[in-house]
Amino acid sequence: MRVILLGSPGSGKGTQAQFITEKYRIPQISTGDMLRAAVRAGTPLGLAAKQVMDSGGLVSDDIILGLIKERIKNDDCVNGFLLDGFPRTIAQAEGLDAMDVAIDTVIEIVVDDEQIVKRMAGRRVHLQSGRTYHTEFNPPKIEHTDDVTGEALIQRDDDKEETVRKRLSVYHDQTKPLVGYYAAPNHKATFYSIAGVGGVDEITQKIFAILG
């Protein structure tokens, strides 16, 4: 079971990825985690990545693809894996296919942009404890105040409306085209699109029904 989840920031991919990896006992392969591990281990690819990152550059697709190729040889991938945050572009997807990394299933979680903005821009956080609230869906008892300590809640920069809209714009420009790529009749992966609205359990059951 080799799975890719697609969806805009705030669509719930991270939550659903956790449920998938727990149920099917497959690892969630994060390119960020792989980069950090390779740098720590001092592998040739890790050293190459470190040199790029230290100079403030973006790690090339070739290095990322090489790390994925190494990672999926590990024993914990014998039953498959879930790719997290990769591919982000058509070029990366083509690179994955060129390496003969066969993807079985691609699932897109679809949530309207305005719903995403409402979800993310309404988040408030108590930094010391990590407790999270939402101005509409899970408000604190007293506005802008943590229920437990009475301390002020903050809005993370990543959750501010302007930032969310910029991230959504990047997603539509760079990553959304992957839907057409994987949905094409000539691609070997099976593509599904599901609505990412409703209860978390409801969305999880839709995904489990697809994966079988």
Side-chain angles (χ1 to χ4, degrees), residues 42 59 86 113 137 159 165 171 179 191:
V59 178
F86 192 91
D113 280 5
F137 307 126
D159 291 336
R165 290 194 184 279
Y171 173 79
V179 169
F191 176 82

Side-chain angles (χ1 to χ4, degrees), residues 103-123:
I103 301 300
D104 303 312
T105 307
V106 179
I107 301 173
E108 179 196 21
I109 301 175
V110 182
V111 182
D112 179 75
D113 280 5
E114 293 309 312
Q115 181 65 29
I116 295 284
V117 171
K118 184 189 271 190
R119 281 184 187 181
M120 298 180 75
R123 287 179 187 162

Side-chain angles (χ1 to χ4, degrees), residues 60-109:
S60 70
D61 290 349
D62 286 345
I63 291 176
I64 298 290
L65 287 163
L67 288 170
I68 289 174
K69 193 169 187 177
E70 285 184 357
R71 177 67 181 84
I72 64 178
K73 291 176 183 175
N74 291 359
D75 291 343
D76 63 341
C77 292
V78 68
N79 293 321
F81 52 82
L82 185 148
L83 283 179
D84 175 17
F86 192 91
R88 289 184 188 274
T89 64
I90 295 287
Q92 291 175 351
E94 289 173 342
L96 205 58
D97 288 341
M99 277 196 328
D100 290 328
V101 178
I103 301 300
D104 303 312
T105 307
V106 179
I107 301 173
E108 179 196 21
I109 301 175

Side-chain angles (χ1 to χ4, degrees), residues 15-16 19 197-208:
T15 300
Q16 296 303 331
F19 294 145
V197 292
V200 172
D201 289 346
E202 183 184 342
I203 297 162
T204 304
Q205 291 312 310
K206 288 180 192 175
I207 292 172
F208 287 173

